[in-house]
Amino acid sequence: MFTRDVTGRRIAQERLFPGLPGTVRVMIAVSLAVLVAVVWIANAFLTERFVEATRQRAELRQSLYAGAILSELQRNSVVPLLLARDPTLITALQARDFSASSQRLISFVDEIGSAALTLMDTEGRVVAATDRAELGASYGDAPFFAEAIRGSDTVFTLNPTPGGAYQASFSREVRDGATSLGVIQVEVDLAQFERRWRGTTAAVVVTDASGRVIISTEPRWRGQALGQALASLSVPTALERALQSAGAFGPGVDEGFFSSTALMQLETRVPFRGWRLVSFTSYESVRERVNGVLALIITVFALLLALGFYLLNRRATMRSLGFQRESAALRALNDRLSAEIAERRRVEEELKVTEQSLAQSSKLAALGEMSAAVSHELNQPLAAMKTYLAGAKLLLQRRRPDEALSSFQRIDDLIERMGAITRQLKSYARKGDQAFERFDMRDAVAAALALMEPQLRQHKVRLTQAVPNHPVWIEADRLRLEQVVINLVRNALDAMLGAEERELEMLLSHGDEAVLTVRDTGHGITDREQLFEPFYTTKAPGEGTGLGLAISSGIVKDMGGRLTARNSTRGGAVFEVRLPCVDKRVDAAE
């Protein structure tokens, strides 16, 4: 195109100036030859550079799009697992009371960013949903419901909607132990990507493993194979002739056509179920940029050839056009920079708000954990005080004041212990070794059993102890270790309620580690994976907080040990507290 333009211009100049001397004609011819060579080289060089830059931007944009899709799918894939374990939803399905379930799902959907949340019973009937119009609908035969009921993991389904779009969802069965209660469905908002991509200059489609278009900036492509969708589009003959006459935009560049514009087709893999993302980026901007630069080159040569007889008006016009293009480019650049600065400021403000929200959430979580810990730790001494008060009352009625004074002395010891517990909990968040001391672990076990002695007698539990005859030295927080032992004994008593044989074994052994084993004859452990999770309890509502074992495990870890649990071959549960031993004799020698 540019060669033909330059040659035509040279012929026109010879016709305009037939009487020029031969030297001037040679100079003009040489200048025109140099101009043609420079334009040809610049055209090839700039086209290659600009095409490569456009390709890199398209590849980067494509990677960002694929990452956004994968991030959205991964974020929504974990939601069914979390909601399937939500105690409120499980309780609602068990009690068949869904008066507050829809509102709870609505409160979740804003935080999660999902399109919709739906809760169904075992028959597929919608009992709670963020879209209240769905309440009462039946999906018993829907693939997402049937696959979730049959399997034990989260199920992903992709179904077409009457509007031509595709609905992607993750569903999972809600269970209470081995009992199926229903199915929770999380719908992924795929339409948000189409809305975002339509504001760009590229056409983007996402296909599944079978090659079917599921997301597209061109709605008529959805549901078709990509090859069929492209084959159905026609290219005007005039545009095809113009592109062929202009030549290729660079060596090795594959050209496609869409909406009468030359396009670059790129394809990348979305690492999710064989999905692929295909984008079509326009070459139009490349051609405009190359033409702008070449126009400037031609303008410079035109100024050099203006030897007095060149049309001044033409030279001034070319300069004016060059200045106008440069000004437009500068204004566009300035507008883009202003927009990027404004966007950066907006993102920084949103980041500050998010950081403040996270900090507030962390404070509330810490406050709740501290309150629950205080309530749980004070329940044990309070229960013992109630038992001692009942015994003292009975002794006073029988006119045995000396023995009653002994009970009152134990109550005074318990009050002192409650004060020590509250002082200990005040420093619960500070993990340090200020309260660590070296002591005989036998003394801590004996003190804990003395505190639990009334409950053991009340429940008619036979206690069997096996401790070494010599000290078992450890370095730990004695008060908190006693709390752990008391909590294990209390859990054993609760587990043996209703059992015909109530026997509690306490075995203390040592080597490199001091091992305290607590075995009961209760019903055993049903779920070992969630045993040490906060708020997990097998007790009836109102009888336990589900924090005892979680707090005990944390205390043992802080002291450098570990708390484990298993079922006994003879029936019941076995808990082991393992702590590192210290050699008192070596310390004394040192």
Side-chain angles (χ1 to χ4, degrees):
M1 179 180 65
F2 298 103
T3 304
R4 296 179 181 178
D5 292 344
V6 174
T7 304
R9 188 177 302 170
R10 182 182 61 185
I11 297 173
Q13 288 178 351
E14 290 179 352
R15 292 178 179 177
L16 287 174
F17 310 104
L20 290 177
T23 305
V24 176
R25 288 185 178 183
V26 172
M27 293 178 59
I28 294 176
V30 172
S31 300
L32 290 176
V34 172
L35 174 61
V36 171
V38 170
V39 169
W40 182 270
I41 296 173
N43 177 52
F45 175 78
L46 294 175
T47 299
E48 182 179 357
R49 292 291 300 275
F50 288 160
V51 166
E52 184 61 25
T54 302
R55 184 187 300 275
Q56 291 177 358
R57 287 195 300 269
E59 291 175 349
L60 176 60
R61 181 170 57 245
Q62 195 173 43
S63 299
L64 293 176
Y65 288 172
I69 294 174
L70 181 61
S71 176
E72 183 72 14
L73 292 171
Q74 289 178 341
R75 181 166 57 84
N76 282 272
S77 65
V78 301
V79 175
L81 176 61
L82 299 178
L83 294 182
R85 297 179 179 178
D86 185 78
T88 303
L89 298 181
I90 293 175
T91 303
L93 289 170
Q94 290 173 338
R96 307 296 296 176
D97 181 11
F98 309 105
S99 57
S101 300
S102 293
Q103 187 60 38
R104 184 168 181 83
L105 292 180
I106 292 173
S107 66
F108 286 151
V109 75
D110 293 334
E111 299 177 0
I112 298 171
S114 301
L117 299 177
T118 307
L119 181 65
M120 290 153 282
D121 59 13
T122 54
E123 297 179 356
R125 185 175 63 89
V126 177
V127 296
T130 54
D131 184 5
R132 297 187 184 274
E134 292 288 324
L135 293 177
S138 178
Y139 294 100
D141 297 331
F144 70 85
F145 180 84
E147 293 180 12
I149 286 294
R150 288 196 301 266
S152 60
D153 296 330
T154 301
V155 177
F156 175 80
T157 55
L158 184 68
N159 299 313
T161 63
Y166 280 83
Q167 179 191 47
S169 65
F170 293 93
S171 56
R172 188 182 182 92
E173 183 182 17
V174 181
R175 303 178 64 87
D176 182 18
T179 304
S180 176
L181 301 178
V183 171
I184 183 72
Q185 181 195 26
V186 179
E187 182 178 344
V188 184
D189 185 11
L190 296 180
Q192 62 174 314
F193 300 108
E194 295 182 351
R195 294 191 296 269
R196 295 176 189 171
W197 298 342
R198 283 172 186 165
T200 63
T201 58
V204 184
V205 298
V206 176
T207 62
D208 59 9
S210 63
R212 178 185 53 181
V213 177
I214 57 177
I215 305 175
S216 174
T217 54
E218 189 68 24
R220 55 182 172 174
W221 283 3
R222 288 196 295 257
Q224 304 182 48
L226 183 58
Q228 296 176 352
L230 294 176
S232 63
L233 297 177
S234 60
V235 181
T237 306
L239 176 60
E240 185 176 1
R241 285 201 306 268
L243 292 170
Q244 291 176 351
S245 63
F249 287 142
V253 177
D254 296 330
E255 298 176 6
F257 301 101
F258 172 73
S259 300
S260 302
T261 305
L263 298 176
M264 173 191 301
Q265 178 177 342
L266 296 176
E267 182 175 346
T268 187
R269 185 177 67 89
V270 180
F272 181 81
R273 296 180 177 267
W275 288 14
R276 304 194 71 82
L277 187 145
V278 183
S279 64
F280 301 90
T281 304
S282 173
Y283 278 111
E284 185 177 4
S285 60
V286 175
R287 189 67 268 164
E288 291 176 354
R289 294 166 65 185
V290 173
N291 287 343
V293 176
L294 295 180
L296 292 176
I297 296 175
I298 294 174
T299 303
V300 172
F301 272 89
L303 293 175
L304 295 176
L305 292 175
L307 301 176
F309 55 86
Y310 194 81
L311 299 176
L312 297 178
N313 188 28
R314 176 67 176 174
R315 184 179 61 181
T317 301
M318 294 297 295
R319 269 188 195 171
S320 177
L321 292 176
F323 292 154
Q324 290 177 6
R325 284 192 293 266
E326 185 177 0
S327 299
L330 290 175
R331 284 195 299 269
L333 179 60
N334 185 43
D335 293 340
R336 288 197 300 269
L337 291 176
S338 300
E340 291 179 359
I341 292 173
E343 178 67 17
R344 184 180 182 87
R345 290 176 178 174
R346 185 185 64 80
V347 172
E348 289 178 351
E349 291 296 329
E350 291 181 355
L351 181 59
K352 290 180 181 178
V353 173
T354 304
E355 290 177 349
Q356 293 174 358
S357 300
L358 289 175
Q360 185 65 19
S361 299
S362 299
K363 293 179 181 178
L364 293 176
L367 180 59
E369 183 179 353
M370 182 63 69
S371 300
V374 170
S375 174
H376 180 271
E377 294 298 336
L378 293 183
N379 277 339
Q380 298 172 351
L382 286 174
M385 288 173 61
K386 183 177 180 180
T387 303
Y388 284 132
L389 283 174
K393 181 179 179 180
L394 183 62
L395 291 173
L396 289 176
Q397 289 176 353
R398 295 180 180 179
R399 301 183 182 279
R400 295 161 63 182
D402 294 337
E403 298 180 12
L405 286 176
S406 176
S407 296
F408 287 131
Q409 180 60 41
R410 292 187 177 182
I411 292 174
D412 183 67
D413 294 339
L414 288 174
I415 293 174
E416 178 63 26
R417 180 177 183 82
M418 291 171 65
I421 290 174
T422 56
R423 289 192 299 271
Q424 185 68 29
L425 291 175
K426 288 179 181 178
S427 60
Y428 184 75
R430 299 192 301 269
K431 294 185 178 180
D433 56 358
Q434 298 92 331
F436 276 38
E437 59 179 328
R438 297 190 181 184
F439 60 92
D440 188 355
M441 191 172 177
R442 299 181 304 171
D443 297 339
V445 175
L449 290 177
L451 184 61
M452 295 300 298
E453 181 181 356
Q455 284 88 339
L456 293 172
R457 288 200 304 268
Q458 180 182 356
H459 291 79
K460 298 180 180 180
V461 176
R462 184 175 63 186
L463 176 64
T464 303
Q465 299 186 60
V467 296
N469 296 327
H470 50 274
V472 180
W473 297 105
I474 62 173
E475 184 173 358
D477 189 330
R478 176 170 176 171
L479 178 60
R480 299 177 75 186
L481 179 59
E482 292 179 6
Q483 294 172 9
V484 173
V485 178
I486 291 172
N487 184 68
L488 295 178
V489 174
R490 284 183 61 85
N491 287 343
L493 294 180
D494 294 338
M496 290 187 292
L497 289 177
E500 296 181 359
E501 181 182 358
R502 302 179 183 179
E503 181 178 356
L504 179 64
E505 293 184 2
M506 305 283 290
L507 173 62
L508 179 60
S509 60
H510 73 98
D512 294 335
E513 291 181 324
V515 182
L516 174 62
T517 304
V518 181
R519 189 187 75 84
D520 59 59
T521 57
H523 51 73
I525 301 171
T526 57
D527 191 347
R528 293 176 57 185
E529 294 183 357
Q530 298 185 9
L531 185 62
F532 297 106
E533 294 292 331
F535 303 105
Y536 172 76
T537 179
T538 58
K539 301 178 183 177
E543 296 183 1
T545 62
L547 291 172
L549 289 177
I551 295 175
S552 298
S553 178
I555 291 175
V556 176
K557 287 182 180 179
D558 290 343
M559 293 187 292
R562 62 185 184 276
L563 175 60
T564 60
R566 69 177 187 276
N567 285 321
S568 175
T569 56
R570 294 180 293 172
V574 179
F575 288 84
E576 290 186 352
V577 179
R578 294 178 175 270
L579 294 170
C581 287
V582 295
D583 194 338
K584 190 72 173 181
R585 293 171 298 176
V586 173
D587 295 338
E590 291 179 354

